[in-house]
């Protein structure tokens, strides 16, 4: 989450475009009511977390999860998991997939993982992993994010 201070002439649409997130997400995060008028100096919560992690990718002819994983410096398991697919599942031309942004690394927790294990995976320290995630439960299957600065 980010905080944005409304400037003279700002609109929700312009703020959404600036952060590359849907306007409805700003409206929901701030419990705004129609007609969505903003006041200069108003503080808005900007729910950026998911929108800063993934890009949308439209599958092209010849693409596979393995090829996309290699091109996006991630794993087939991560791509499959975040897109609700089996790692051996066929992907088709025109399909839209989530792929991690360039400076984002992802990890899916397994039974017995500790925060230190996850930090070692990311080649960082535990406090950096904690800072990059709102909640870490270390239950099997949790998606942990690490953003390289």
């Amino acid at each position: 989450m980010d905080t944005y201070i409304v400037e003279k002439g700002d609109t929700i649409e312009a703020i959404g475009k600036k952060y590359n997130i849907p306007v409805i997400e700003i409206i929901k995060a701030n419990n705004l009511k129609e007609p969505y008028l903003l006041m200069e100096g108003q503080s808005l919560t900007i729910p950026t977390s998911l929108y800063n992690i993934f890009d949308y990718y439209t599958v092209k002819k010849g693409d596979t999860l393995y090829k996309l994983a290699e091109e996006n410096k991630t794993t087939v398991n991560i791509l499959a998991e975040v897109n609700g697919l089996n790692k051996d599942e066929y992907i088709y031309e025109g399909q839209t997939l989530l792929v991690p942004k360039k400076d984002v690394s992802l990890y899916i927790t397994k039974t017995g993982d500790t925060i230190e294990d996850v930090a070692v995976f990311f080649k960082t320290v535990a406090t950096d992993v904690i800072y990059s995630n709102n909640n870490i439960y270390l239950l099997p299957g949790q998606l942990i994010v690490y953003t390289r600065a």
Side-chain angles (χ1 to χ4, degrees), residues 34-78:
E34 287 190 70
Y36 311 125
L37 299 176
L38 303 178
M39 295 174 43
E40 187 176 352
Q42 179 180 358
S43 177
L44 293 175
T45 298
I46 309 297
T48 57
S49 58
L50 279 180
Y51 300 98
N52 285 334
I53 299 171
F54 297 107
D55 283 322
Y56 292 100
Y57 176 80
T58 303
V59 176
K60 298 178 184 95
K61 186 176 182 174
D63 281 343
T64 65
L65 284 180
Y66 292 89
K67 178 181 172 188
L68 294 176
E70 183 176 317
E71 289 173 356
N72 290 282
K73 295 180 177 40
T74 190
T75 68
V76 173
N77 288 341
I78 294 285

Side-chain angles (χ1 to χ4, degrees), residues 24 60 64 66 68 78 81 97 103 106 124 126 146:
I24 191 66
K60 298 178 184 95
T64 65
Y66 292 89
L68 294 176
I78 294 285
E81 184 82 20
L97 298 176
D103 293 330
L106 304 172
T124 190
Y146 178 65

Side-chain angles (χ1 to χ4, degrees), residues 26-142:
I26 297 171
I27 292 168
K28 287 191 306 189
N30 293 280
N31 198 26
L32 299 175
K33 305 292 183 220
E34 287 190 70
Y36 311 125
L37 299 176
L38 303 178
M39 295 174 43
E40 187 176 352
Q42 179 180 358
S43 177
L44 293 175
T45 298
I46 309 297
T48 57
S49 58
L50 279 180
Y51 300 98
N52 285 334
I53 299 171
F54 297 107
D55 283 322
Y56 292 100
Y57 176 80
T58 303
V59 176
K60 298 178 184 95
K61 186 176 182 174
D63 281 343
T64 65
L65 284 180
Y66 292 89
K67 178 181 172 188
L68 294 176
E70 183 176 317
E71 289 173 356
N72 290 282
K73 295 180 177 40
T74 190
T75 68
V76 173
N77 288 341
I78 294 285
L79 278 182
E81 184 82 20
V82 300
N83 287 287
L85 303 170
N86 178 300
K87 70 178 184 174
D88 297 317
E89 194 167 333
Y90 173 78
I91 57 174
Y92 54 89
E93 187 175 2
Q95 182 177 10
T96 301
L97 298 176
L98 293 173
V99 295
K101 289 190 180 243
K102 184 179 85 170
D103 293 330
V104 174
S105 293
L106 304 172
Y107 178 79
I108 298 173
T109 56
K110 302 179 295 295
T111 301
D113 275 343
T114 66
I115 194 69
E116 288 78 17
D117 296 332
V118 176
V120 166
F121 174 84
F122 289 131
K123 298 181 177 130
T124 190
V125 294
T127 53
D128 286 349
V129 175
I130 293 166
Y131 182 77
S132 293
N133 294 269
N134 290 336
N135 297 300
I136 299 178
Y137 301 106
L138 295 175
L139 297 172
Q142 182 181 8

